[in-house]
């Protein structure tokens, strides 16, 4: 490890204050039923695939909606990818060792990742939290499902033994803050870009056509008034 600084302290502090919680969780996890352990190991990856599926459904729905809806459907997963990329940069800068390698005599559900696959922050937590946060902005109907799923994905990484608790907490914080801010920052220019791209016949299968604008309330009132005098 390099000389400790304020930025490095949290990652380097894992062996100082993260060991007790990690041992408690992994020792408890080792006593849980086999089906629960299997569900935890599968679910830690399956949760990410569920978010991918939600983004795919959101894009499909946006093909018949307005330009802003399509822009959000395209930009939300892009913001998640940016968050993931930043997470990887931080990982490779801080070099926090995985607890399943750093702590002796621990029993984990999942196989410990290979050396050089660093721990802080948790990429799964970044992706899950960023996905849930952008869906909260763009598709609130599914937020009640997406937010608990993100929590489960993050905590499952400690349960299966591949992360400290502070790894997943930092990853969730990074994802939930960065992704929606990026989305909101580029949503307006993104909608304008979608409006232009939808003019191309080659892109219509992917982007759909611009949805007709909803009638203005005053125009609708005037139409009903005219119709009632006929």
């Amino acid at each position: 490890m390099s000389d400790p600084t304020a930025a490095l302290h949290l990652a380097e502090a894992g062996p100082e204050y993260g060991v007790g919680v990690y041992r408690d969780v992994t020792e408890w996890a080792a006593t849980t039923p086999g089906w629960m352990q299997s569900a935890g190991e599968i679910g830690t990856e399956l949760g990410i695939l569920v978010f991918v599926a939600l983004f795919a459904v959101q894009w499909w729905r946006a093909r018949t909606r307005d330009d802003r809806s399509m822009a959000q459907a395209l930009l939300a997963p892009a913001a998640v990818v940016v968050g993931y990329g930043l997470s990887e940069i931080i990982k490779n800068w801080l070099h926090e060792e995985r607890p399943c390698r750093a702590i002796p005599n621990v029993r984990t559900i999942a196989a410990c990742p290979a050396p050089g696959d660093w721990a802080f922050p948790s990429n799964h937590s970044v992706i899950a939290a960023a996905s849930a946060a952008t869906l909260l902005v763009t598709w609130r109907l599914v937020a009640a499902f997406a937010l608990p799923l993100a929590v489960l994905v993050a905590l499952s990484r400690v349960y299966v033994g591949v992360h400290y608790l502070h790894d997943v907490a930092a990853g969730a914080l990074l994802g939930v803050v960065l992704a929606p801010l990026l989305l909101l920052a580029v949503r307006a220019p993104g909608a304008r870009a979608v409006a232009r791209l939808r003019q191309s016949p080659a892109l219509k299968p992917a982007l759909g056509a611009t949805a007709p604008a909803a009638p203005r309330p005053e125009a609708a009132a005037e139409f009903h008034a005219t119709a009632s005098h006929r």
Side-chain angles (χ1 to χ4, degrees), residues 27-56:
E27 287 175 4
W28 166 76
T31 67
T32 55
W35 66 265
M36 187 172 172
Q37 295 183 21
S38 298
E41 192 168 9
I42 295 171
T44 193
E45 304 296 342
L46 183 61
I48 301 299
L49 295 178
V50 171
F51 282 117
V52 172
L54 288 174
F55 283 134

Side-chain angles (χ1 to χ4, degrees), residues 124-143:
H124 283 74
S125 300
V126 172
I127 293 170
S131 299
T134 54
L135 287 168
L136 179 62
V137 173
T138 62
W139 193 6
R140 293 185 181 179
L141 183 64
V142 302

Side-chain angles (χ1 to χ4, degrees), residues 190-215:
R192 292 193 292 269
V194 166
R196 291 192 298 270
L197 292 172
R198 276 178 159 174
Q199 304 306 312
S200 170
L203 294 177
K204 282 190 176 181
L207 300 180
T210 302

Side-chain angles (χ1 to χ4, degrees), residues 58-137:
Q58 186 181 35
W59 159 75
W60 185 260
R61 293 171 71 249
R63 292 170 66 255
T64 59
R65 296 172 182 262
D66 59 23
D67 299 332
R68 174 172 159 161
S69 296
M70 176 55 75
Q72 291 186 148
L74 297 175
L75 292 171
V80 174
V81 171
V82 171
Y84 166 76
L86 180 58
S87 174
E88 275 294 298
I89 292 172
I90 296 172
K91 271 174 171 279
N92 289 305
W93 175 47
L94 295 179
H95 286 189
E96 181 196 79
E97 188 61 276
R98 295 275 181 169
C100 44
R101 283 195 301 274
I103 304 173
N105 303 318
V106 293
R107 178 181 171 188
T108 63
I109 294 172
C112 196
D117 187 344
W118 309 110
F120 183 92
S122 163
N123 284 340
H124 283 74
S125 300
V126 172
I127 293 170
S131 299
T134 54
L135 287 168
L136 179 62
V137 173

